[in-house]
Amino acid sequence: MYKQITALLLTATLLAVADPAAAQTQPPKLWDIGGAYAKQEIEILVTDGILTGYEDNTFRPNASMTRQEFAKVLAKAMKLEGDAAAAAKFTDVAPWARPYVGALVKAGLTQGVSATQFGAMQNITREQLAVFFIRGFGMEALANDLAMPSSFIDRGQVTGYAQNAVALAQKVGFLKGSASSTGYSFMPRGLSARQAVARLAYEFYNNRESYTGQFQTIRQAVDHLKQAEAVTNAAESYKLNMGMSVKMIDFSMHTDMINEVIVKPEYTMRITGTVTAPDGTGTLVSEPVESYVYKGYNFMRGVGGEWVSVELTAEENVGPSALSSVESVPTRYLAAYSTVAENEAENTVTITSKPSSSEYLSLLPPDLLEASGGEEAIFTNVIYTFVIDRTTHQFKQMHIVEDHGADAQTTIDVTFSDYNAVTDIIIPQEIKDLYAGMSAK
């Protein structure tokens, strides 16, 4: 009896420390993947040594995967060199997994769940997979720079540290989620079946260059747009009035406050475009729109061709940064839908989105997301084209097309002058005369 117990304990110990999916000289024929939806991906990854089955030649496609099992998959998919020493601080990692966990530590992809724990035997969650793969792509910094919400209907359940990675992985199509009548859900804290992990690992391993190309385009677009916005924000004429400075003068018995208005050089800008919408009979009618920012006023051509003027306040943004956003969305949010063209003189960023309701709303900040209720898209199609001077990084032109359903469209073309050396050459004489008459009153 004692020998039997000893033998059982020894067997249990060996099973506890052995690789549960140990590689063999010849890839085993896995007999339980015939009905798996990821059968092809599993077979390819097994042949390439990225995945292995269990000792009984099963893959267990619907079972969960532990964090240390996934560490092996990711390390092999990235072709990282094993480093058991780098995982020495983790007391919960099995000997077979230490080289792989250590490889991820050395590559900066993980720090574990605590100073001494990797969470090796914990089943990996879907949001953890998103973070690991985005780090594996080398795109964590881009995800954090964009800091945009995903459009998953359960995005509010994504843990804070994983939100940016989940959103970026969704934007490039690496994560799809599960379809429902109300949209796509991600179930961020749920567990992925081993075959689901296999499908993601296959995409990462075999189509990595394609995703890397998408990331590079986004990165390029973000860089161009941020540079242009930085130049705009730094321009002295970005706002018509920078506000009030207050001087305190003490007259012993009382204190008077004297307001001194600081007026920056006038910002001159022209906007032209066309608004197409159905009239009272349902017939589509196109009306030209034209407006100018001049001498602290916004002049707009109204119905009948007459000019209407609105005085701009000190706080109003009239520069391209204010125009290059949708509902106050930073342009970096839109970069995920971009293409980039470059030549010696200009960088052109074109952003095209043909979103469903939830996809479009994903461009909005979280507070607007919640306020909108996620019911319907504001635009069915949006195209933005930003032309940026390659030398000065200033916005030169913007072309905006917004489709508001099948029967309404807004098209706007904006041309900008040098923000700090504005000339009056684009201002029609009738506006100059109108302004002169207003000033004389």
Side-chain angles (χ1 to χ4, degrees):
M1 183 67 171
Y2 176 81
K3 290 182 179 180
Q4 291 177 332
I5 294 175
T6 302
L8 288 172
L9 289 174
L10 179 59
T11 301
T13 301
L14 289 173
L15 288 174
V17 299
D19 183 346
Q24 302 177 16
T25 303
Q26 295 294 329
K29 183 175 177 61
L30 303 173
W31 58 265
D32 64 340
I33 63 172
Y37 61 75
K39 178 178 183 293
Q40 183 177 359
E41 291 92 334
I42 293 169
E43 290 177 337
I44 292 172
L45 293 179
V46 167
T47 299
D48 290 349
I50 307 302
L51 288 177
T52 51
Y54 289 88
E55 293 178 345
D56 59 357
N57 290 346
T58 63
F59 182 73
R60 305 173 196 177
N62 295 316
S64 300
M65 182 176 286
T66 66
R67 283 169 55 90
Q68 66 181 3
E69 286 175 336
F70 177 74
K72 178 180 179 180
V73 174
L74 185 57
K76 281 187 167 290
M78 294 182 67
K79 300 180 180 179
L80 299 177
E81 184 177 347
D83 191 336
K89 63 180 180 178
F90 298 131
T91 61
D92 61 338
V93 178
W96 66 263
R98 286 175 189 160
Y100 308 114
V101 174
L104 299 188
V105 171
K106 188 175 181 179
L109 303 186
T110 184
Q111 296 178 340
V113 297
S114 72
T116 59
Q117 299 285 303
F118 177 65
M121 293 302 294
Q122 297 175 13
N123 289 324
I124 192 163
T125 65
R126 294 168 63 82
E127 65 183 11
Q128 289 172 358
L129 285 172
V131 172
F132 270 118
F133 278 119
I134 286 296
R135 289 175 180 172
F137 280 118
M139 293 297 155
E140 185 174 32
L142 175 60
N144 292 336
D145 190 10
L146 292 173
M148 56 184 171
S150 75
S151 61
F152 291 124
I153 58 177
D154 54 354
R155 59 188 170 272
Q157 299 175 24
V158 180
T159 307
Y161 79 92
Q163 289 176 354
N164 295 339
V166 169
L168 181 58
Q170 183 197 27
K171 290 296 181 292
V172 298
F174 186 74
L175 295 179
K176 302 292 195 302
S178 301
S180 70
S181 59
T182 56
Y184 282 83
S185 61
F186 181 57
M187 297 173 286
R189 302 181 193 182
L191 306 179
S192 287
R194 285 168 57 83
Q195 63 177 332
V197 177
R199 180 161 282 180
L200 290 177
Y202 176 87
E203 285 294 306
F204 181 85
Y205 180 65
N206 285 279
N207 299 318
R208 189 172 178 180
E209 289 187 5
S210 174
Y211 289 106
T212 298
Q214 293 184 63
F215 289 129
Q216 288 174 342
T217 298
I218 296 172
R219 175 78 275 168
Q220 203 174 15
V222 168
D223 288 343
H224 290 331
L225 293 171
K226 287 178 67 176
Q227 285 176 335
E229 288 178 336
V231 169
T232 306
N233 290 331
E236 287 186 348
S237 57
Y238 180 53
K239 293 187 178 181
L240 294 171
N241 300 296
M242 297 303 290
M244 314 286 283
S245 69
V246 179
K247 292 183 178 179
M248 303 294 293
I249 302 179
D250 188 359
F251 288 97
S252 67
M253 296 300 295
H254 64 279
T255 300
D256 286 347
M257 297 178 64
I258 298 178
N259 294 329
E260 179 182 336
V261 179
I262 302 175
V263 181
K264 295 295 182 181
E266 290 86 356
Y267 191 104
T268 306
M269 180 173 64
R270 180 190 185 208
I271 300 176
T272 61
T274 304
V275 176
T276 303
D279 62 11
T281 65
T283 303
L284 287 179
V285 178
S286 294
E287 292 287 343
V289 295
E290 185 177 17
S291 66
Y292 294 84
V293 174
Y294 178 68
K295 300 292 186 181
Y297 289 84
N298 187 8
F299 294 89
M300 297 166 286
R301 191 183 291 277
V303 178
E306 296 183 356
W307 289 98
V308 178
S309 63
V310 177
E311 186 174 9
L312 296 169
T313 67
E315 290 76 25
E316 278 192 88
N317 284 357
V318 294
S321 285
L323 291 171
S324 63
S325 62
V326 181
E327 298 291 339
S328 302
V329 179
T331 49
R332 64 177 186 273
Y333 274 28
L334 305 175
Y337 299 88
S338 65
T339 57
V340 177
E342 298 179 337
N343 59 40
E344 293 183 359
E346 300 170 342
N347 297 321
T348 301
V349 180
T350 301
I351 299 165
T352 303
S353 177
K354 294 183 178 180
S356 67
S357 172
S358 59
E359 286 172 339
Y360 183 75
L361 290 172
S362 71
L363 300 179
L364 304 181
D367 55 339
L368 291 180
L369 272 170
E370 299 305 323
S372 68
E375 294 180 358
E376 62 181 78
I378 298 174
F379 306 125
T380 58
N381 182 60
V382 189
I383 300 175
Y384 296 89
T385 301
F386 304 93
V387 181
I388 301 166
D389 187 279
R390 194 174 179 87
T391 301
T392 64
H393 300 298
Q394 289 183 345
F395 282 111
K396 294 176 64 176
Q397 294 176 326
M398 285 179 10
H399 175 70
I400 303 172
V401 178
E402 298 169 347
D403 288 335
H404 307 259
D407 296 332
Q409 183 184 81
T410 301
T411 302
I412 299 175
D413 287 288
V414 185
T415 301
F416 300 103
S417 301
D418 186 325
Y419 310 143
N420 287 312
V422 177
T423 62
D424 291 349
I425 57 173
I426 64 171
I427 302 299
Q429 186 60 46
E430 57 186 315
I431 287 184
K432 293 181 181 179
D433 294 341
L434 179 60
Y435 174 77
M438 292 163 52
S439 301
K441 294 180 180 179

